[in-house]
Amino acid sequence: MPETTFIIKRYNPEKGVFYTSEYKVPYESDTTILSGLIYIKDYLDRTLSFRYSCRMASCGSCGMVVNKKPTLVCRTLIESVKKPIYIEPLYNFPIIKDLVVDIDIFLDKLKFVKSYIIREKEEDLDKEYIVKPEQLDLIKHSSSCINCMLCYAACPVFGSDEEFIGPAALAILYRYLHDPRDQAKSERIKIASLKNSAYMCSMVGQCTVVCPKGVDPSFHIQRLKVISTLNNLFS
Amino acid sequence: MDKYSHDVIVIGGGAAGLRAAIEAASKSPKLSVAIVSKVYPMRSHTVSAEGGAAAAIKPDDNFDLHAYDTIKGSDFLADQDAVELFVRLAPREIIRLEHWGCPWNRDQEGKIDVRWFGGMSVKRTIHAADKTGFYLLHTLFQTSLKYDNIVRYDEYFVTSIIVENNRFCGITALSLRDGAFHFLKGKAAIIATGGAGQIYKFTTNGAINTGDGMALAYRIGVPLKDMEFVQFHPTCLPGSGILISEAARGEGGYLLNNKYERFLKNYVPTKMELGPRDIISRAIVNEIRLGNGFKGKHGDYVALDLRHLGEEKIEEKLPQIRELAKTFVGIDPVNELIPVRPGQHYFMGGVHVDLNTSTPVAGLFAAGEASCVSINGANRLGSNSLPECLVFGAISGEHAAKFAIEHDYCNVAYENIQIEEKRIFDQLLKKESGIAPAEIKYKLKETMEEKVGILRNEKELLEACREVEKLKEMFKNVSAGDKTMIFNTDIVEILELDFMLDVAEAVAYSALYRKESRGAHYRTDYPERNDKEYLAHTLVYKTREKPQIDYLPVKITKWQPAERKY
Ligand SMILES: Cc1cc2nc3c(=O)[nH]c(=O)nc-3n(C[C@H](O)[C@H](O)[C@H](O)COP(=O)(O)OP(=O)(O)OC[C@H]3O[C@@H](n4cnc5c(N)ncnc54)[C@H](O)[C@@H]3O)c2cc1C
Ligand code: FES
């Protein structure tokens, strides 16, 4: 079985020091980087910490930076990347330990964009809303975010100012703004118009490039800018 | 040690836990509801559910039809009063999720669309492409942010439930972020910790599905019900165990053996690919034994053929299946066959609860896959679990809230909490040296896979019980390889392994004692169903020695047990 080297950037929070560890990992044509990390944890070094669960690119736990690129390691084959493999924690977030970062700031942003349907009154439970397939298509991509945080790690604007609401939360804002069941359009446009919202984006577009789920935050943010601008012009 | 207090503590932030928390929180803004979860709620394994959620919402459907399909699917082990309650409430929950923004697929008129699923006699599976669990979970999680009286403890690992005089008092939890040990005081609690697929080697479940809540309950004397009924899903990718949803067959996919025959004609001729999972999984095992499987590097397999569906339909209805097959086995189902084999998928059994989701401990409830009401009996029908999480999650939230309003906190003997703290810090963390958890974990998975799998017999089940006992002995010598406090995932794995061993024990012993074949529990030495002796739920209790087995009659309302033929 071929072998490769994982070079992992580590952080020891108790001592407050960064260091690197290197491990030899055997792999086959279908071994993922995540399987490699689990191998290290099981057999080589039990002090290594990282998050994972679903191993099928749906839970969003396993975001890391692989060879400088924000990546979901469960869906990335060892075979497909340059070796030795250099792994770092996600950029732009405080590091808790090793490859584990603190994403609480995103959860605050999610709440801030009011990530839920707002209506004057909830309908009775015997009645479904009519939503045409083409209306659903409008939110198809923006509702596919798994909150993996790769886009925040790739965003230079968030990197320099954490006040920025950021790609995923703005995509989710777009999603609720375009949901035909929602009745809080003006409230949402107000959020889109804030200083730390859509306008802050400088259109680097890396968010869209790194997204593993085909969400296009860059596009959604540009649309939010247009919607906010038009709204300001006509109100 | 410090303490926090909440009226209702929900352990788990998957579909069942979130639905429970929202229900409890909406009963009164004065109630403080905690969600304690070892991962951020949106990481819970509900996120991976693919195919859909069943409910009788269409004019050609009705409650009795959904109930009978479920009961027949369960091989008549489901409690019929529970099933009747379930099918009546499921449509409301589906519509509620719709009102909260869940993007269910629509028909041309804009109404909620339905698809075929195994064992269902009409199209009744509501879905959001083939990522139903993802949409459902994120809808619930994002909706939960609306409630100011829901307090989240993200990445808090629950280590024990504290009970005094058969009354729930609180839980102990380890905060992964800082390694602090907490006692959370509660008036009522809901166990919503999901399944335990990790006790098997080849499973569709995520790494976090280690059966913690089942073991937590088992340890405080609450019986686990029907643990021998473990569902094996027919179509998983060899190697990883990643699920290829039944929706693939619901949308018209075929299963083929190496002669390119739709071999199910010899097993479930009337239902073919839409037969129930237990029967199809056994059919695949049998085909492979007959030498009719394809050879692969991860063992023999059969093939799932979607080619005739065409690219457009696959993209519209099964986009994730295509993505998974491409990413993990390098195959595009539009023009190639997908290799599949059966893998552990779901626990029909779980914490014993009644129709109100109450356990025998006052103030302690359970819902979702961790619990057993039972609506699934000996074999769950695909797409009945998500609605079960919603229906019984809501019921548990309501009853826990009611309990909390009517009762006060109970007084806790702090020695009990200190004992738990010592167990974790002195026995596991500080112990100088010992064996690594991986050594035991992989042996356990191997044992369960080989001896408590799809086909079972007395000899192997006995061996499995002994092996699990041995591994439990070995576990006493485990020590943490990471001695630090902050985000120590080594200690988490050790605590999880400890839970897994308890769950495996419960499964193996329950399987040993049920000397018949029913649903997913197939005994080659007792190949027939035996209603005379075993039309009953197994209850397994933890004791100092061997687990104790008891039986509880099945509740039958209007459908008499009949031979299960498809
Ligand atoms: C791949 C796959 C596909 C599926 N597809 C379908 C489908 O199409 N239709 C269907 O009906 N069913 C499906 N199922 C089954 C269904 O998804 C599950 O049964 C259901 O989602 C379980 O939900 P839950 O809320 O009970 O548990 P989970 O979603 O597993 O959540 C468990 C929660 O408990 C928490 N937890 C666990 N232990 C602890 C602890 N010690 N301390 C703190 N927190 C803890 C976890 O953090 C998590 O938040 C599928 C299952 C799988 C694996
Ligand atoms: S482990 Fe879930 S996304 Fe990678």
Side-chain angles (χ1 to χ4, degrees):
Chain A
M1 218 187 278
E3 220 178 47
T4 186
T5 305
F6 278 40
I7 305 171
I8 301 179
K9 184 173 170 194
R10 311 278 304 269
Y11 176 64
N12 179 331
E14 289 175 10
K15 300 203 174 106
V17 291
F18 287 96
Y19 61 110
T20 54
S21 298
E22 292 192 14
Y23 308 95
K24 290 259 177 280
V25 176
Y27 69 99
E28 294 183 67
S29 60
D30 57 358
T31 310
T32 60
I33 296 180
L34 175 64
S35 306
L37 288 170
I38 295 171
Y39 173 86
I40 295 171
K41 177 90 179 161
D42 279 341
Y43 302 112
L44 306 178
D45 184 353
R46 287 161 61 197
T47 68
L48 180 68
S49 288
F50 52 96
R51 292 190 183 105
Y52 69 102
S53 173
C54 73
R55 57 79 181 90
M56 53 187 279
S58 63
C59 75
S61 303
C62 70
M64 299 169 200
V65 177
V66 175
N67 296 336
K68 302 283 167 194
K69 189 179 161 225
T71 303
L72 282 186
V73 293
C74 69
R75 72 193 284 274
T76 309
L77 300 177
I78 292 182
E79 201 173 66
S80 71
V81 298
K82 202 170 130 255
K83 290 168 259 312
I85 304 175
Y86 184 53
I87 305 178
E88 302 167 83
L90 283 182
Y91 298 150
N92 302 338
F93 291 99
I95 299 166
I96 297 175
K97 182 191 173 190
D98 295 341
L99 300 167
V100 179
V101 296
D102 181 350
I103 65 159
D104 279 354
I105 190 169
F106 167 74
L107 287 139
D108 296 340
K109 293 178 191 301
L110 193 60
K111 190 165 177 170
F112 182 77
V113 301
K114 300 193 188 321
S115 58
Y116 35 81
I117 298 283
I118 299 173
R119 291 182 63 90
E120 272 154 34
K121 81 178 229 308
E122 255 192 53
E123 282 309 324
D124 291 342
L125 289 175
D126 50 15
K127 191 171 146 249
E128 63 184 284
Y129 300 128
I130 297 299
V131 182
K132 294 277 184 182
E134 54 276 18
Q135 290 176 303
L136 210 55
D137 277 346
L138 265 182
I139 59 169
K140 183 172 166 186
H141 295 292
S142 54
S143 63
S144 296
C145 170
I146 61 169
N147 304 174
C148 67
M149 300 294 103
L150 298 192
C151 55
Y152 284 78
C155 174
V157 179
F158 177 68
S160 62
D161 188 348
E162 62 169 40
E163 286 296 309
F164 180 39
I165 293 176
L170 285 172
I172 290 164
L173 174 63
Y174 176 96
R175 175 243 178 281
Y176 282 100
L177 179 62
H178 287 82
D179 194 304
R181 296 162 286 197
D182 192 66
Q183 297 176 333
K185 302 282 175 252
S186 60
E187 205 174 321
R188 297 193 190 280
I189 295 174
K190 244 188 234 150
I191 299 174
S193 314
L194 293 172
K195 207 165 87 239
N196 62 339
S197 192
Y199 292 122
M200 205 166 173
C201 163
S202 60
M203 277 172 49
V204 177
Q206 275 304 308
C207 48
T208 297
V209 175
V210 298
C211 179
K213 289 283 144 183
V215 183
D216 189 352
S218 180
F219 167 78
H220 302 317
I221 295 173
Q222 304 328 309
R223 289 291 308 152
L224 287 176
K225 285 183 193 170
V226 174
I227 293 165
S228 306
T229 307
L230 290 177
N231 187 65
N232 291 344
L233 276 179
F234 295 107
S235 64
Chain B
M1 194 168 25
D2 47 4
K3 49 184 163 131
Y4 304 93
S5 310
H6 298 283
D7 294 291
V8 176
I9 296 175
V10 182
I11 312 174
L18 288 169
R19 184 65 192 88
I22 293 173
E23 190 64 25
S26 61
K27 286 292 156 216
S28 156
K30 286 202 205 108
L31 284 176
S32 165
V33 179
I35 299 177
V36 186
S37 173
K38 65 179 176 180
V39 296
Y40 286 99
M42 72 281 188
R43 312 290 190 221
S44 306
H45 204 58
T46 292
V47 81
S48 298
E50 299 173 6
I57 59 164
K58 293 290 177 191
D60 65 344
D61 204 354
N62 63 58
F63 295 147
D64 274 3
L65 217 50
H66 189 188
Y68 187 67
D69 286 345
T70 302
I71 290 162
K72 183 175 173 194
S74 81
D75 218 348
F76 296 90
L77 191 70
D79 282 329
Q80 298 185 1
D81 53 350
V83 175
E84 289 193 61
L85 178 67
F86 163 68
V87 298
R88 266 167 224 285
L89 294 179
R92 296 169 64 86
E93 288 299 323
I94 294 296
I95 305 291
R96 194 188 307 272
L97 261 285
E98 197 273 326
H99 290 184
W100 286 346
C102 191
W104 301 128
N105 272 42
R106 303 293 169 149
D107 60 18
Q108 283 314 316
E109 286 169 36
K111 291 197 166 149
I112 296 174
D113 201 5
V114 284
R115 68 161 42 124
W116 282 111
F117 240 68
M120 303 285 187
S121 54
V122 295
K123 278 192 192 181
R124 68 161 69 93
T125 298
I126 293 104
H127 53 281
D130 55 354
K131 299 196 285 188
T132 306
F134 158 75
Y135 287 113
L136 189 145
L137 185 69
H138 281 254
T139 300
L140 285 170
F141 178 59
Q142 293 178 4
T143 301
S144 79
L145 299 177
K146 203 161 65 174
Y147 294 87
D148 289 328
N149 54 335
I150 294 182
V151 184
R152 285 203 328 271
Y153 290 85
D154 293 338
E155 302 193 316
Y156 274 64
F157 186 99
V158 178
T159 70
S160 76
I161 296 176
I162 306 287
V163 171
E164 269 171 38
N165 302 323
N166 203 39
R167 163 77 208 276
F168 170 78
C169 300
I171 59 167
T172 59
L174 195 63
S175 158
L176 302 185
R177 186 73 55 94
D178 53 10
F181 180 80
H182 297 276
F183 173 62
L184 269 66
K185 201 170 169 170
K187 292 178 182 165
I190 300 162
I191 298 174
T193 48
Q198 284 301 318
I199 66 172
Y200 284 86
K201 184 172 157 194
F202 189 70
T203 174
T204 64
N205 285 196
I208 52 176
N209 294 78
T210 47
D212 305 4
M214 297 173 183
L216 286 168
Y218 189 49
R219 288 177 187 181
I220 52 170
V222 173
L224 301 181
K225 185 158 76 193
D226 292 340
M227 291 301 283
E228 64 273 40
F229 297 102
V230 179
Q231 180 161 81
F232 291 81
H233 195 291
T235 59
C236 314
L237 294 179
S240 64
I242 289 171
L243 180 75
I244 299 299
S245 170
E246 194 166 298
R249 282 171 284 134
E251 295 296 342
Y254 300 148
L255 279 174
L256 306 178
N257 61 17
N258 67 5
K259 303 190 174 86
Y260 298 92
E261 277 172 353
R262 289 176 67 190
F263 58 88
L264 290 171
K265 66 178 191 287
N266 303 324
Y267 302 87
V268 267
T270 63
K271 288 264 179 188
M272 294 298 287
E273 277 80 4
L274 291 175
R277 292 176 176 175
D278 53 338
I279 300 178
I280 296 187
S281 285
R282 281 196 292 276
I284 295 174
V285 169
N286 197 47
E287 285 297 301
I288 289 174
R289 288 199 170 181
L290 292 172
N292 295 340
F294 296 89
K295 299 267 170 242
K297 74 175 208 189
H298 300 287
D300 292 359
Y301 63 85
V302 296
L304 179 64
D305 188 359
L306 305 183
R307 293 172 303 178
H308 54 288
L309 303 182
E311 182 161 6
E312 197 180 321
K313 183 158 182 186
I314 292 177
E315 260 314 303
E316 189 202 333
K317 299 281 194 168
L318 306 166
Q320 181 173 243
I321 296 303
R322 188 178 188 192
E323 189 187 315
L324 291 171
K326 277 185 174 172
T327 310
F328 293 98
V329 286
I331 273 173
D332 186 351
V334 169
N335 39 44
E336 290 164 281
L337 300 176
I338 311 175
V340 290
R341 53 160 283 207
Q344 191 287 335
H345 183 57
Y346 178 86
F347 278 82
M348 271 69 79
V351 179
H352 170 50
V353 292
D354 63 16
L355 285 183
N356 297 335
T357 73
S358 307
T359 71
V361 170
L364 184 63
F365 303 81
E369 191 172 337
S371 73
C372 180
V373 182
S374 112
I375 65 156
N376 299 307
N379 173 64
R380 170 180 74 105
L381 291 188
S383 75
N384 263 352
S385 173
L386 292 173
E388 174 182 2
C389 288
L390 298 173
V391 166
F392 290 98
I395 292 176
S396 70
E398 182 187 338
H399 283 272
K402 189 159 171 276
F403 187 94
I405 290 167
E406 289 167 359
H407 294 78
D408 209 343
Y409 292 103
C410 65
N411 286 324
V412 185
Y414 281 97
E415 303 85 79
N416 290 343
I417 297 160
Q418 279 159 352
I419 293 171
E420 177 64 2
E421 194 172 11
K422 279 216 175 77
R423 178 178 80 96
I424 294 168
F425 292 94
D426 297 351
Q427 287 175 28
L428 297 173
L429 197 66
K430 297 207 185 106
K431 193 198 284 173
E432 278 302 312
S433 65
I435 40 179
E439 212 177 302
I440 299 174
K441 181 173 73 183
Y442 291 114
K443 272 197 194 124
L444 175 69
K445 284 167 171 287
E446 203 82 45
T447 303
M448 296 303 287
E449 190 77 26
E450 279 165 20
K451 303 192 163 148
V452 202
I454 297 178
L455 306 179
R456 304 165 173 182
N457 64 60
E458 182 93 8
K459 179 172 160 285
E460 289 184 339
L461 288 171
L462 261 173
E463 285 168 6
C465 291
R466 281 202 204 107
E467 184 65 25
V468 174
E469 268 168 47
K470 251 198 336 227
L471 294 174
K472 289 186 109 173
E473 259 325 291
M474 259 173 94
F475 180 83
K476 294 184 181 151
N477 297 319
V478 165
S479 80
D482 184 351
K483 308 284 185 201
T484 62
M485 301 299 296
I486 297 175
F487 227 95
N488 182 335
T489 51
D490 189 42
I491 197 82
V492 169
E493 282 186 27
I494 291 173
L495 293 168
E496 287 176 340
L497 175 60
D498 198 10
F499 289 141
M500 284 160 63
L501 287 164
D502 275 347
V503 174
E505 167 187 283
V507 174
Y509 274 92
S510 303
L512 176 67
Y513 283 92
R514 184 175 287 271
K515 297 181 199 294
E516 65 154 354
S517 290
R518 184 187 297 270
H521 175 69
Y522 192 86
R523 296 269 309 239
T524 51
D525 45 356
Y526 300 96
E528 302 296 325
R529 193 174 89 190
N530 176 353
D531 283 347
K532 235 160 119 193
E533 283 173 273
Y534 291 105
L535 188 61
H537 301 289
T538 305
L539 293 180
V540 57
Y541 292 84
K542 191 170 174 61
T543 70
R544 276 181 192 283
E545 268 109 55
K546 280 192 187 130
Q548 218 172 40
I549 302 280
D550 202 357
Y551 292 95
L552 193 71
V554 170
K555 286 195 204 87
I556 292 182
T557 54
K558 52 183 172 192
W559 294 281
Q560 285 310 312
E563 193 192 347
R564 186 164 162 253
K565 252 198 176 145
Y566 290 98

